Amino acid sequence: MPKFWTFKGGVRLPEHKERTAGKKIRDLPPPDRVIIPLAQNAGSPPRPVVEKGQAVEEGEVIASPSGPVSSTLHASVSGKVTALDDFPVPYGPPAPAVEIETDPESSSRRRLAPLSDPSPEEIRSRALEAGVVGLGGAGFPIQVKLAPPEGTEIDCAIINAAECEPFLTVDYRMMLESGPKVIDGLKLIMKAVGAGEGIIAIEANKMDAFYKLQSLVHREKNIRVELLQVKYPQGGEKQLIAALLGREVPSGGLPSAVGCLVQNVATAAALSEAVREGEPLIERVVTVSGPALKSPGNFRVRIGTPFSYLVEAAGGLPEGELKIISGGPMMGVAQAGLEVPVVKGTSGILVVPAVHRERNLPCLHCGDCLRGCPMGLNPGDLATLVEKERWAEFEEHGGRDCIECGCCAYSCSSGRDLVQLIKLGKEALKKVKS
Amino acid sequence: MTAILAAVFTISGLGLIFGLGLAIGSRIFAVSIDPRLEKIEELLPHLNCGACGYGGCSDCARALLEEEAEPAICPVASPETHREIAELLGKILEEEEKTTARIFCRGGYDAARRYLYEGIKTCQAANQIGGGVSACDYGCLRYYTCQKVCPFEAIGIDDRGNPVVDPELCRSCGLCVRHCPRDLIRIVPSKSEVDIRCSSRAKGKTVVKVCAVGCIACGKCVKECPVEAITLEDNLARIDYDKCVNCGKCIEVCPRNIISRV
């Protein structure tokens, strides 16, 4: 009987994964035009190297790294650059992006040279060249993660296959359909950082993926597959490390501080493709789901594909008042419209009916948010400090450590917008400090 | 009887000793306070608004006394008070101009909304999702955080849903300026009466789509202005207050009714 690992705090959520879990990933043809925002990675956005009117080929570099923590962007379709302007993006106010009109005639794709036995340095530079960033949402450039700061030693590489957000099934489908690529990606990561141990951590609601991967790694001595309890946010980096290894990442620190490196399933597969096949990161799998959609599913689309194209593929926008979320229901961001493009960090698009309920009632001091918080913070208290603009105390009480998982707001019986308030507080704190 | 007397003498004796101790101690360890500090504190407005950048009025008074801050640092106090503070500190103050905050958006109910917003009712929060709840990328979000933070109740809402600053009540402390996530509020000289109340740097075509009153950069006001005080920059007309003579000719020609007299 395998052991089910977990962490302190968190909440148990209805999963809603059945809508898309059984559906194979469908490849969608490129849309008429793509909008590729420059800022798709954490750190500094890459600098564009194309001009308006220029013809580009699929896989051609359109923006190159602009700093130590940056990435590369590639044209996801062949065609002509029609605009370099501000466009609506799924993660914030309109931001600079490259618009490419697809040329339906062209079918060529530029690739990098495949590497069969790369050195750690080659893996890192390939990750940068191919524009591989964390595909889980934050978009942290992987070559930076693969180069741990001096003096730290990484002994354990973890593939985060928890996929604890309800509705999303991207990682689950990837494991079933491209399991060998995921394991190859993990081996490359282990080689790049010199980690002696590799763990693939799966939540216990994905048993078939667990058995599938276990059958693939049973000959590998230093790779194991572990089962995790079904609890949110099991896939949080810090929660995952605490659950598997019992190590606590210090406040404000990175997993490398405790000798760990965590990568998401899709990222590992993308790294494997970039190294072995020379494929730049120009497409990704997106779960399109929601109770109101006719044919939800998992779709492989080009980066920059508008949401509307994906929703159309999933049966079109249903009638009535709707809420569209980019990402999962817990950490995703509500969208103002369907014209926003899929970026490297877009794991899902949810279309749910709008629910109106009374919100932001006075705090009852029941403590449910405290019990739910996986970081051991006091969310109700932090939110009140934000409302009162007491930034120094907010910082003192650990406001910065919040991972914005949403457990507190989910468990709040007064319906307070706790995460949003804490998010605002974190932003205000950044401003006050600068 | 003796027991009572003993108690009385012991207690009063102890009281006398402690009293003497305190009296002597207060002389020896006395902290000399500059008498000006109290006077400066008296002069400051006692609002503790923090607009000066110090932690309340007493801290500001200390900074003034230690010459960390300029006599006119308090934006809330009147020019007379500034002069009195300068006198106390033995400094000469230059003549200053009276200023007021002004809100550079008149979209109000005439500007479209992007979506239904049900989150936290502050402008900062409403500006986070999808580029802000207001369809105009530059316009007022209408959650009136500026009104809520104003310590002088100088900001009201007009019948078109626009926040408006009352120049009589405004002491240009700048709290509203700092709280507006779209930088729509600026401190301007009080003597300027005519202003273009739009901040949209979007192209005219976009403005027409999202707002019934926004500046489309047609340039009519620029041509009409007799003193060349208006310039077009980034699809937006701006008035140079040093040149403007408050004649109001631009108000009549503006096809979008965005120029008004305060």
Side-chain angles (χ1 to χ4, degrees):
Chain A
M1 185 64 201
K3 193 176 164 189
F4 295 84
W5 307 87
T6 195
F7 61 99
K8 254 188 193 172
V11 289
R12 279 164 219 279
L13 302 170
E15 289 166 27
H16 297 295
K17 289 188 194 272
E18 67 291 342
R19 283 191 180 80
T20 52
K23 296 199 176 164
K24 273 202 168 159
I25 298 171
R26 224 176 95 197
D27 284 304
L28 290 185
D32 299 338
R33 57 167 203 146
V34 292
I35 298 158
I36 306 174
L38 295 177
Q40 296 194 32
N41 56 280
S44 51
R47 215 178 300 111
V49 292
V50 288
E51 276 162 25
K52 195 178 162 180
Q54 189 179 329
V56 288
E57 203 184 343
E58 194 175 304
E60 190 179 328
V61 175
I62 56 169
S64 57
S66 64
V69 183
S70 192
S71 188
T72 317
L73 282 177
H74 304 80
S76 57
V77 293
S78 293
K80 208 173 81 177
V81 177
T82 44
L84 266 160
D85 205 356
D86 282 2
F87 282 96
V89 292
Y91 48 76
V98 179
E99 187 189 45
I100 304 172
E101 208 179 73
T102 314
D103 174 12
E105 312 286 287
S106 170
S107 61
S108 60
R109 179 186 270 203
R110 236 180 248 192
R111 287 188 176 83
L112 302 154
L115 304 167
S116 54
D117 187 29
S119 69
E121 195 41 57
E122 277 173 331
I123 297 174
R124 279 193 282 271
S125 58
R126 174 50 58 90
L128 178 62
E129 279 165 6
V132 184
V133 300
L135 296 174
F140 202 79
I142 173 167
Q143 79 277 3
V144 182
K145 260 194 182 179
L146 292 180
E150 209 131 316
T152 51
E153 205 175 296
I154 296 203
D155 60 345
C156 184
I158 303 168
I159 294 294
N160 181 356
E163 199 158 60
C164 52
E165 279 263 11
F167 288 100
L168 303 187
T169 51
V170 173
D171 290 350
Y172 171 70
R173 289 311 310 179
M174 289 287 276
M175 285 188 280
L176 288 184
E177 293 176 33
S178 0
K181 272 185 194 170
V182 176
I183 289 160
D184 184 53
L186 174 59
K187 282 185 200 157
L188 287 170
I189 292 167
M190 286 164 66
K191 188 165 183 190
V193 295
E197 194 184 13
I199 304 175
I200 300 170
I202 305 180
E203 262 192 2
N205 56 359
K206 298 181 257 293
M207 287 313 277
D208 41 353
F210 171 73
Y211 289 127
K212 161 106 194 186
L213 289 186
Q214 204 157 42
S215 71
L216 288 172
V217 300
H218 76 284
R219 275 177 212 282
E220 311 277 347
K221 279 200 192 72
N222 48 4
I223 297 179
R224 58 194 159 103
V225 187
E226 293 285 5
L227 273 180
L228 301 159
Q229 262 186 43
V230 185
K231 192 162 87 171
Y232 181 85
Q234 189 67 75
E237 214 166 46
K238 292 172 183 175
Q239 282 64 40
L240 200 62
I241 295 170
L244 289 169
L245 304 165
R247 299 180 194 169
E248 195 187 332
V249 181
S251 166
L254 291 170
S256 60
V258 290
C260 293
L261 185 149
V262 183
Q263 275 305 347
N264 149 292
V265 172
T267 320
L271 181 67
S272 164
E273 278 178 9
V275 173
R276 306 288 182 206
E277 294 157 36
E279 291 275 5
L281 182 58
I282 58 167
E283 46 186 25
R284 71 153 297 147
V285 183
V286 179
T287 300
V288 186
S289 187
L293 282 176
K294 253 186 238 125
S295 51
N298 288 299
F299 303 98
R300 184 172 281 118
V301 290
R302 307 301 165 96
I303 303 293
T305 303
F307 278 23
S308 52
Y309 185 78
L310 273 158
V311 172
E312 216 45 61
L317 212 56
E319 292 282 302
E321 211 176 317
L322 299 166
K323 190 170 184 178
I324 292 145
I325 302 167
S326 158
M330 294 298 279
M331 285 193 71
V333 183
Q335 298 300 313
L338 284 176
E339 70 272 28
V340 291
V342 168
V343 294
K344 288 179 182 175
T346 309
S347 45
I349 299 171
L350 297 185
V351 180
V352 291
V355 179
H356 304 285
R357 64 183 175 107
E358 205 156 358
R359 288 164 65 163
N360 290 312
L361 299 168
C363 174
L364 301 171
H365 298 279
C366 65
D368 278 351
C369 55
L370 268 166
R371 274 185 286 279
C373 182
M375 294 303 289
L377 302 171
N378 184 345
D381 191 29
L382 287 172
T384 309
L385 289 173
V386 173
E387 280 171 345
K388 302 215 181 312
E389 302 194 7
R390 280 150 65 175
W391 308 128
E393 273 166 274
F394 175 76
E395 191 182 10
E396 228 171 82
H397 291 207
R400 264 175 213 276
D401 289 337
C402 170
I403 57 166
E404 300 168 16
C405 65
C407 288
C408 50
Y410 178 80
S411 39
C412 181
S413 24
S414 289
R416 292 180 80 200
D417 291 323
L418 295 167
V419 223
Q420 286 82 350
L421 279 166
I422 297 173
K423 253 190 196 176
L424 279 178
K426 281 165 80 174
E427 245 165 61
L429 203 58
K430 257 187 235 158
K431 245 186 235 166
V432 171
K433 289 267 157 178
S434 64
Chain B
M1 191 65 193
T2 35
I4 294 169
L5 277 177
V8 168
F9 280 118
T10 319
I11 298 298
S12 35
L14 278 174
L16 207 65
I17 294 165
F18 290 149
L20 270 172
L22 280 175
I24 296 163
S26 73
R27 280 288 160 82
I28 297 172
F29 300 112
V31 181
S32 64
I33 303 170
D34 195 322
R36 292 180 299 171
L37 185 71
E38 218 167 285
K39 280 186 194 154
I40 296 173
E41 244 190 284
E42 236 4 71
L43 285 169
L44 290 173
H46 296 101
L47 283 161
N48 296 322
C49 66
C52 55
Y54 291 96
C57 289
S58 340
D59 199 29
C60 181
R62 181 200 52 77
L64 279 165
L65 195 66
E66 288 169 9
E67 306 207 342
E68 244 178 64
E70 288 299 307
I73 184 155
C74 179
V76 174
S78 62
E80 290 88 72
T81 315
H82 288 162
R83 215 166 305 126
E84 279 174 59
I85 293 171
E87 250 168 55
L88 259 174
L89 296 167
K91 282 185 183 170
I92 300 156
L93 198 66
E94 278 167 39
E95 212 36 58
E96 56 183 305
E97 200 176 26
K98 196 171 170 348
T99 55
T100 179
R102 195 168 289 160
I103 298 167
F104 286 83
C105 175
R106 222 170 82 157
Y109 302 137
D110 298 318
R113 304 285 253 187
R114 266 206 191 108
Y115 47 84
L116 193 71
Y117 177 72
E118 289 191 328
I120 306 157
K121 303 272 183 282
T122 66
C123 295
Q124 278 81 5
N127 193 29
Q128 275 190 322
I129 293 168
V133 65
S134 133
C136 170
D137 286 337
Y138 304 93
C140 176
L141 297 155
R142 290 203 272 112
Y143 283 96
Y144 309 121
T145 300
C146 50
Q147 186 190 29
K148 280 167 213 150
V149 298
C150 180
F152 312 105
E153 298 182 0
I155 300 180
I157 315 292
D158 73 4
D159 54 350
R160 300 299 306 146
N162 294 303
V164 182
V165 181
D166 183 342
E168 293 294 309
L169 293 171
C170 176
R171 311 256 196 110
S172 23
C173 69
L175 265 182
C176 52
V177 178
R178 264 181 283 155
H179 276 85
C180 182
R182 296 201 146 181
D183 297 327
L184 294 175
I185 314 178
R186 281 186 284 148
I187 305 286
V188 299
S190 295
K191 69 169 176 32
S192 76
E193 285 169 21
V194 177
D195 227 323
I196 301 165
R197 285 175 54 199
C198 180
S199 299
S200 170
R201 292 190 292 279
K203 293 198 178 94
K205 213 171 124 193
T206 322
V207 176
V208 175
K209 256 188 231 161
V210 296
C211 184
V213 294
C215 176
I216 51 169
C218 63
K220 279 190 181 160
C221 51
V222 180
K223 280 182 210 136
E224 193 67 26
C225 183
V227 290
E228 291 178 2
I230 309 180
T231 47
L232 274 182
E233 211 180 293
D234 284 345
N235 302 315
L236 182 62
R238 278 276 160 88
I239 293 184
D240 183 344
Y241 303 118
D242 292 335
K243 288 183 189 162
C244 178
V245 289
N246 297 326
C247 67
K249 281 188 180 149
C250 47
I251 302 176
E252 287 148 35
V253 295
C254 181
R256 307 280 292 169
N257 291 325
I258 199 70
I259 313 181
S260 65
R261 202 176 276 277
V262 179

